[in-house]
Amino acid sequence: MSRRFLFLLGSARTEGNTELLAREAAAQLPADVEQRWIRLADHPLPDFADLRHDVDHTAPSPDSTAGLLLDATLAATDIVIASPLYWYSVSGLTKRYLDHWSGWLRTPGLDFRATLAGRTLWGIAALAHREPSVAAPYVGTLNNSAAYMGMRFGGVLLGNGSGPGDVLQDTDALTRAKTFFAQDAPLALFPYETAREG
């Protein structure tokens, strides 16, 4: 299967530092790799209602925002969460998208988990803090989501930036961006696991 990257922009700001860093990394992908970019703020999802014990789930209408994001997610071999670090985790827009995975997991006929298993989840984030360890909850959210889904996890490309364009001065982040998507992404594991059975 040829690689198809889905870039989900989770910032409330257009052309923010996270998006700039994501575009730097994406520019290194081979020309034949398909890229699709979706700004979550332009396609707002409704609040997720947890109905798993109440009603049967139905697939969202293809014409709806949820349908658009579901179809894009299922079509991607590589899903890139490009969300700034907001309060030490992903943005609210991003979290709402991930919350909808719970409903898609329970929708008959989608095989959402089986479809995503073996595919790769990546993260890209700009943060204002100089110490990257403060992003550990962000990394944990994406790693554990990938582990639950049986996906691979390529890690998180972090860059420093608060004001507009600041990340373009982070030469270390720009250097890492050049090879970020070229690395081998291992099967995601929960922190308590040393290996995945089966």
Side-chain angles (χ1 to χ4, degrees):
M1 174 188 289
S2 57
R3 294 179 79 184
R4 294 187 300 274
F5 274 71
L6 172 63
F7 289 85
L8 293 165
L9 302 174
S11 176
R13 179 187 306 164
T14 58
E15 297 182 4
N17 286 300
T18 296
E19 181 177 347
L20 292 175
L21 187 56
R23 293 198 183 276
E24 287 288 328
Q28 313 306 316
L29 289 169
D32 63 341
V33 171
E34 182 183 327
Q35 297 181 32
R36 183 170 185 186
W37 294 75
I38 296 178
R39 189 178 308 282
L40 293 175
D42 292 344
H43 303 280
L45 285 163
D47 286 334
F48 174 68
D50 186 353
L51 305 174
R52 63 187 150 173
H53 300 300
D54 301 327
V55 297
D56 291 333
H57 288 265
T58 58
S61 162
D63 299 329
S64 67
T65 295
L68 168 86
L69 290 169
L70 171 60
D71 290 346
T73 301
L74 290 173
T77 60
D78 295 77
I79 300 167
V80 184
I81 300 294
S83 166
L85 188 76
Y86 284 176
W87 285 104
Y88 309 103
S89 190
V90 297
S91 69
L93 291 165
T94 303
K95 180 63 167 61
R96 184 171 290 178
Y97 162 74
L98 292 173
D99 284 348
H100 276 263
W101 283 22
S102 296
W104 299 340
L105 278 166
R106 292 171 175 82
T107 302
L110 276 187
D111 294 325
F112 187 70
R113 190 175 191 177
T115 299
L116 291 192
R119 298 188 182 182
T120 305
L121 185 65
W122 308 83
I124 298 177
L127 62 156
H129 204 286
R130 290 285 177 187
E131 176 49 61
S133 65
V134 302
Y138 181 112
V139 176
T141 292
L142 297 187
N143 176 78
N144 293 347
S145 297
Y148 180 77
M149 298 295 289
M151 298 177 74
R152 299 184 173 280
F153 182 53
V156 177
L157 173 62
L158 296 173
N160 188 268
S162 180
D166 280 355
V167 77
L168 298 178
Q169 307 307 313
D170 185 344
T171 55
D172 289 342
L174 296 180
T175 298
R176 290 191 303 273
K178 290 188 183 305
T179 58
F180 183 58
F181 292 127
Q183 65 181 322
D184 252 352
L187 191 66
L189 299 174
F190 288 108
Y192 59 83
E193 294 181 301
T194 55
R196 183 63 61 89
E197 294 181 11

